[in-house]
Amino acid sequence: MPSSRTSLTLAFLLVAGAAAAPRPISSALTHLHVPATVLLAPVQQPARSLLAWLRGPGPGLTADAPSPEVQVLREQRDQYALEVKQLRQQIDELRVLIRDLSRGFDLNPSLAVKQITAPVIGYGADNSGGLLTVRAGRRDGVSVNNVVALRGVHLLGRVVRVDDRTCAVLPLTRMSKGEAVGGVVMLADETIGPRVLLKTHEGGTLRGQVEYLPDPSGVAPPVTIARGMVVRLQDADARWPQSAQMLIIGQIETAEPSPEMPLRTVVTVRPIHEIERASEVMIRIPESGQSAERVGEKGGTP
Amino acid sequence: MRWPVTLLFAWVLLALEPVIREALRLGHPSAAPSLVVPLVVFVALFAPVVPSLWTALLVGLMVDLTTLRGGLSSTGLPPTVVIGPHALGFALGAYLVHTVRPMMMRRNPLTVMVLSMIVAALAGVVASAILGARDMLFSGSWSDGSEYRAMSDLLARLLGALYTAGTGLVIGLLLLWAHPLFHFHDSSGRRAFSRRT
């Protein structure tokens, strides 16, 4: 018994030491995260799938899509709609590129992305962590800053750590307080509206002030921002990779006048699907040779 | 105590914990119940002090190891695990249960329920204190790379502790039903009492 007490005391001292250790030591212990997650995956993954099945399709699909076939078709439709939007944006950017090239700038906005589907194998037992562990890693071509989507077109977050077989994903709603994501309010399916700069807000939402682009003619009617409008990512400052552009951030939950500037509108955006409850995600990987994407080229991080 | 049985229960409950927490989560800051705290309480109620502390320590270590923190681009640091907050919190909770268990009706599921709530609150305070202290003490490349919101995290943990009463009752019933499998040496309060007298 004394030996077991000694070993217990020793274990306590080690754990207490680890708790008080700064990042250089704790990050060395991070290598144990993957074995611990993999150890629990055989039970966790079926349980998560069972729960997803019990819960049924997400709120964006429940209204009139009872059959799986319709659901698949809708997902394909959303996917194609996204590609159309991305192509349109690329056309706009190519126009800008032509203009820039004529001025002597060297830009490379072309992009090809492959998507891989991967199951979420861990959220961590403690909610305060906030990162998802996904079963796709370096061997699948995943790298840091790859964009992660839900149901193909809904922005979930980005990869912040990659191991050989797994990666860690930081959800959009867990960004740091000072970090902003640029989006555009979609006035209709194909009509891009004003820009909005969103920051994390309470309750798993994002909040920001809608910015109106100056109308050169000054005769355009005022745009009404309403609850239910979709907000897509369009980050002019390239804080997010090119492969994330035009992905759906969420729907406007509230739109109210700004307390400081009553003529401006402040919107609260909630992701359509609860991104922290995803059981399967899609990782958007730029084709080889383009892994840096625009984010890397500009030297920033998303 | 049969270690394989305890470890098997711990493994299943640890794996189910994040799934059930996400499913039963209420609001933001998210209050979510714990599945593993009732197991820690149950073992501490019936096992000798050293095995119960080892169980608490191991379960807490697994919770710490499976939780990545940080990774915010504003810090530029990759995510990391922080070992200790739950391991030490659960161990302290197990010791508390071991201390008060002579006054408890150990076979009653309500005991597991109430003690689960208390242990979850205690472990939550310890975890918040450790994470908060790290946030205050370490900065730059020594920090965890997260924006730790101590008060909202503590509030979520305390609300989660109240919520744990529910899972404590359900898992307490399950564990008390499976009690013979654990083969605790002093599994009966009456036997322990008669040995002393």
Side-chain angles (χ1 to χ4, degrees):
Chain A
M1 188 57 85
S3 65
S4 68
R5 280 183 185 272
T6 308
S7 55
L8 182 66
T9 309
L10 199 64
F12 268 112
L13 288 174
L14 282 173
V15 170
R23 168 175 275 273
I25 296 168
S26 65
S27 62
L29 297 169
T30 306
H31 295 294
L32 297 172
H33 168 73
V34 174
T37 306
V38 169
L39 183 71
L40 301 179
V43 176
Q44 205 169 80
Q45 183 58 28
R48 193 175 298 284
S49 301
L50 177 69
L51 199 69
W53 179 75
L54 287 174
R55 197 183 285 134
L61 296 167
T62 47
D64 52 355
S67 70
E69 292 81 9
V70 174
Q71 194 175 312
V72 169
L73 286 170
R74 284 189 164 202
E75 284 178 14
Q76 285 179 349
R77 181 201 63 187
D78 291 347
Q79 186 68 40
Y80 289 130
L82 173 70
E83 284 177 17
V84 167
K85 285 184 175 67
Q86 287 186 328
L87 284 171
R88 283 183 179 165
Q89 194 185 359
Q90 277 188 357
I91 290 168
D92 289 344
E93 287 176 357
L94 283 168
R95 284 182 181 146
V96 175
L97 174 68
I98 292 166
R99 195 189 65 201
D100 289 345
L101 282 173
S102 66
R103 292 177 186 168
F105 287 107
D106 180 22
L107 295 175
N108 177 25
S110 60
L111 183 74
V113 173
K114 77 167 179 181
Q115 293 194 122
I116 58 166
T117 307
V120 177
I121 58 168
Y123 280 84
D126 185 19
N127 281 351
S128 70
L131 297 175
L132 286 69
T133 304
V134 175
R135 198 170 63 197
R138 206 174 287 120
R139 66 175 188 169
D140 304 297
V142 179
S143 57
V144 171
N145 278 338
N146 280 166
V147 175
V148 182
L150 193 58
R151 293 187 188 273
V153 293
H154 298 270
L155 181 63
L156 189 147
R158 61 185 177 82
V159 175
V160 290
R161 172 191 159 87
V162 186
D163 293 304
D164 200 36
R165 289 163 186 267
T166 63
C167 63
V169 177
L170 179 71
L172 182 69
T173 48
R174 295 273 188 163
M175 291 187 309
S176 64
K177 278 187 268 184
E179 198 178 343
V181 54
V184 283
V185 180
M186 301 301 290
L187 302 176
D189 267 0
E190 304 297 332
T191 315
I192 293 177
R195 290 180 181 280
V196 58
L197 204 60
L198 297 166
K199 291 184 177 178
T200 51
H201 188 57
E202 60 193 24
T205 59
L206 300 151
R207 194 170 164 86
Q209 188 168 288
V210 178
E211 297 170 342
Y212 286 94
L213 292 173
D215 177 34
S217 64
V219 294
V223 177
T224 306
I225 307 297
R227 178 189 164 92
M229 283 180 169
V230 169
V231 177
R232 288 179 181 267
L233 189 139
Q234 195 184 58
D235 208 311
D237 296 333
R239 283 170 291 219
W240 281 79
Q242 184 73 354
S243 55
Q245 305 299 318
M246 298 312 285
L247 286 173
I248 294 171
I249 295 175
Q251 270 181 329
I252 293 178
E253 194 172 68
T254 61
E256 56 206 13
S258 165
E260 293 87 22
M261 290 178 282
L263 293 177
R264 296 284 179 92
T265 306
V266 173
V267 293
T268 306
V269 177
R270 182 178 291 281
I272 293 172
H273 299 282
E274 265 201 277
I275 60 181
E276 288 164 2
R277 290 182 177 178
S279 60
E280 195 174 70
V281 296
M282 289 176 118
I283 304 175
R284 297 171 66 83
I285 303 170
E287 293 289 2
S288 57
Q290 298 180 342
S291 59
E293 296 194 53
R294 275 176 55 180
V295 163
E297 288 164 22
K298 295 211 172 183
T301 51
Chain B
M1 185 176 83
R2 278 189 187 138
W3 274 106
V5 176
T6 308
L7 292 177
L8 182 70
F9 270 88
W11 178 60
V12 172
L13 291 175
L14 275 164
L16 291 178
E17 169 114 343
V19 184
I20 302 295
R21 280 177 81 95
E22 282 301 320
L24 300 180
R25 193 183 65 191
L26 289 178
H28 281 266
S30 51
S34 172
L35 301 189
V36 291
V37 165
L39 176 72
V40 169
V41 167
F42 173 76
V43 173
L45 272 175
F46 292 98
V49 65
V50 172
S52 60
L53 286 177
W54 268 117
T55 305
L57 199 65
L58 289 174
V59 168
L61 267 177
M62 282 301 286
V63 173
D64 289 334
L65 280 174
T66 53
T67 306
L68 282 173
R69 299 176 190 282
L72 302 176
S73 61
S74 55
T75 61
L77 297 168
T80 183
V81 296
V82 177
I83 293 198
H86 291 90
L88 295 175
F90 286 179
L92 194 64
Y95 190 74
L96 173 80
V97 172
H98 198 81
T99 310
V100 300
R101 77 179 188 183
M103 296 179 277
M104 296 286 165
M105 289 184 283
R106 293 191 284 177
R107 294 270 185 181
N108 192 332
L110 290 176
T111 304
V112 181
M113 183 185 101
V114 172
L115 286 177
S116 295
M117 201 166 60
I118 294 167
V119 170
L122 181 66
V125 169
V126 171
S128 291
I130 290 173
L131 293 170
R134 289 178 66 88
D135 192 52
M136 280 195 294
L137 288 174
F138 302 135
S139 60
S141 62
W142 278 33
S143 74
D144 297 335
S146 62
E147 287 174 350
Y148 185 65
R149 296 155 195 175
M151 287 315 292
S152 71
D153 185 46
L154 181 63
L155 181 66
R157 287 179 195 278
L158 292 178
L159 290 174
L162 287 174
Y163 206 170
T164 299
T167 51
L169 184 63
V170 175
I171 294 175
L173 280 167
L174 174 77
L175 290 171
L176 287 171
W177 174 75
H179 178 269
L181 297 173
F182 286 86
H183 210 262
F184 293 118
H185 284 303
D186 56 343
S187 57
S188 153
R190 195 169 49 193
R191 241 170 52 200
F193 179 73
S194 63
R195 265 207 305 269
R196 263 187 243 123
T197 57

